[in-house]
Amino acid sequence: MSSIAESEIKLFTESIASKSANTQRAYKTQYNKLAKLIATDAIHQNSEKTLIALVNEQTNSNSQQALLNIGILIRKLYELPVDKMVKFRDRNKAKIQEHVKETNKYLSNLPTLKDLEDFTEHLYDNKEYLDYAINYLLLEYNVRNADLAIDIVTKKKDMNDDTKNYLWVAPKKITYLRNNYKTSDTYGSKSHVITDKKFMLAIKYLLKCQKQKNTNKICFFPSVEQAGYIVKKASYQNLGSSTYFKIAVDTYRNDLQKIKEMGINRGTATDTVIESYNINNL
């Protein structure tokens, strides 16, 4: 690494030192992504035009915004002009908001969160334990499809693959460990302790079912490859995980603390949750 790059990284790190640990981690992840795109030693050596062109190559609009924020921050640290990048970011933001509005027009007649909760209880009452467990985790922890590719284990030592997600079943609790989810590189592994009696019974049933041979019952959580299809099929009216999250966000749209909590669960920045998932953003 050149001295120019080291100096930039030091200056960048100092500039975000007052932010929370999660925010620092997110900023550093985006800095590293942008640094890999450039042909020079340091980001500030690139013109606004070059940085905009590199960012524009990214297909995901939210990813573009995150990279633009880093580019703007770095150039400001070196007292370089950012007007063109700010204008591009603002236009991009407007496009994202318009896309969200258009998408949400098709989702304005969604069921309520209570409908989803009642459906989940119905699954439990009918002993559809796998579908119940999927819906429980969707509602309780606001997870995505891949988060539900889970291995059930009874010993902590068996959670030995940091590319997998686990439910560790202990006598009085279940630990839900998420290693493999969309933003794990930014937010790291997430662990949740579950003591809900119905959920524990359902998972213990699935565990027992998995140990039986020649059974036609569905006892296993899906693989990562199958997750999208299986989760959608298990959900209420085939709505899927993203729409479940949108319903939850709309339900708590006036409770910022709850929105933050859901964002932490999912591994999504609060601003992104509000802008991209609020069905009232019409």
Side-chain angles (χ1 to χ4, degrees):
M1 182 183 295
S2 70
S3 59
I4 295 176
E6 288 179 350
S7 177
E8 181 181 275
I9 291 172
K10 182 180 179 182
L11 189 61
F12 166 67
T13 303
E14 290 173 350
S15 73
I16 61 173
S18 62
K19 298 184 182 297
S20 69
N22 279 340
T23 301
Q24 288 186 47
R25 192 181 300 117
Y27 272 51
K28 289 175 182 177
T29 297
Q30 297 305 322
Y31 177 92
N32 291 333
K33 287 181 180 179
L34 185 56
K36 289 180 181 178
L37 297 177
I38 62 175
T40 58
D41 288 338
I43 293 171
H44 75 273
Q45 293 176 308
N46 294 267
S47 67
E48 289 187 87
K49 183 178 179 181
T50 298
L51 291 174
I52 289 171
L54 291 171
V55 167
N56 210 24
E57 291 175 357
Q58 308 306 303
T59 56
N60 183 282
S61 296
N62 286 318
S63 296
Q64 289 181 0
Q65 293 298 84
L67 294 174
L68 281 168
N69 288 337
I70 295 299
I72 290 169
L73 171 60
I74 294 299
R75 287 183 64 83
K76 281 184 174 180
L77 291 175
Y78 285 87
E79 299 182 354
L80 296 169
V82 295
D83 292 352
K84 292 179 182 177
M85 295 182 70
V86 170
K87 287 180 181 178
F88 181 83
R89 182 180 64 181
D90 290 344
R91 288 197 302 270
N92 206 36
K93 183 177 181 179
K95 288 180 182 179
I96 293 172
Q97 290 174 338
E98 187 60 32
H99 175 71
V100 170
K101 289 178 183 179
E102 290 300 316
T103 301
N104 287 340
K105 285 179 182 178
Y106 299 99
L107 300 170
S108 58
N109 295 317
L110 290 172
T112 65
L113 183 60
K114 189 175 186 307
D115 290 331
L116 304 185
E117 292 169 344
D118 289 346
F119 173 69
T120 303
E121 287 299 310
H122 170 78
L123 292 171
Y124 180 86
D125 292 340
N126 282 273
K127 296 181 170 55
E128 297 177 58
Y129 291 128
L130 179 60
D131 286 359
Y132 163 79
I134 288 173
N135 279 269
Y136 177 91
L137 295 173
L138 285 173
L139 293 174
E140 193 69 20
Y141 299 110
N142 315 112
V143 295
R144 300 178 180 86
N145 294 331
D147 305 41
L148 294 165
I150 300 169
D151 287 355
I152 304 175
V153 299
T154 56
K155 297 178 181 178
K156 185 177 181 179
K157 67 178 183 179
D158 290 334
M159 296 192 295
N160 54 13
D161 188 336
D162 60 10
T163 67
K164 290 186 176 183
N165 304 319
Y166 294 97
L167 286 171
W168 168 32
V169 181
K172 295 184 179 181
K173 66 180 181 181
I174 291 176
T175 300
Y176 177 28
L177 179 63
R178 293 157 57 203
N179 292 312
N180 184 8
Y181 64 99
K182 185 177 180 180
T183 53
S184 60
D185 287 347
T186 299
Y187 296 101
S189 297
K190 291 184 177 290
S191 181
H192 314 278
V193 175
I194 304 171
T195 57
D196 183 271
K197 291 182 179 179
K198 289 183 178 179
F199 183 80
M200 291 184 68
L201 187 150
I203 297 305
K204 288 178 180 178
Y205 172 86
L206 292 176
L207 185 61
K208 180 180 179 181
C209 179
Q210 290 178 8
K211 293 178 179 179
Q212 295 174 350
K213 295 182 178 181
N214 301 319
T215 177
N216 292 321
K217 296 178 181 178
I218 300 175
C219 313
F220 293 87
F221 281 92
S223 65
V224 173
E225 294 75 19
Q226 298 172 320
Y229 170 76
I230 297 297
V231 171
K232 187 173 184 178
K233 186 178 178 183
S235 64
Y236 182 65
Q237 296 180 349
N238 294 326
L239 291 174
S241 61
S242 182
T243 305
Y244 266 44
F245 188 57
K246 188 179 289 291
I247 292 169
V249 170
D250 180 58
T251 301
Y252 295 105
R253 62 184 178 274
N254 295 320
D255 187 342
L256 182 58
Q257 185 56 42
K258 184 65 176 179
I259 295 294
K260 288 180 178 178
E261 184 181 306
M262 291 192 294
I264 290 170
N265 279 342
R266 192 172 178 84
T268 304
T270 303
D271 289 348
T272 302
V273 172
I274 293 171
E275 290 179 11
S276 299
Y277 292 96
N278 187 354
I279 67 172
N280 283 310
N281 189 16
L282 298 177

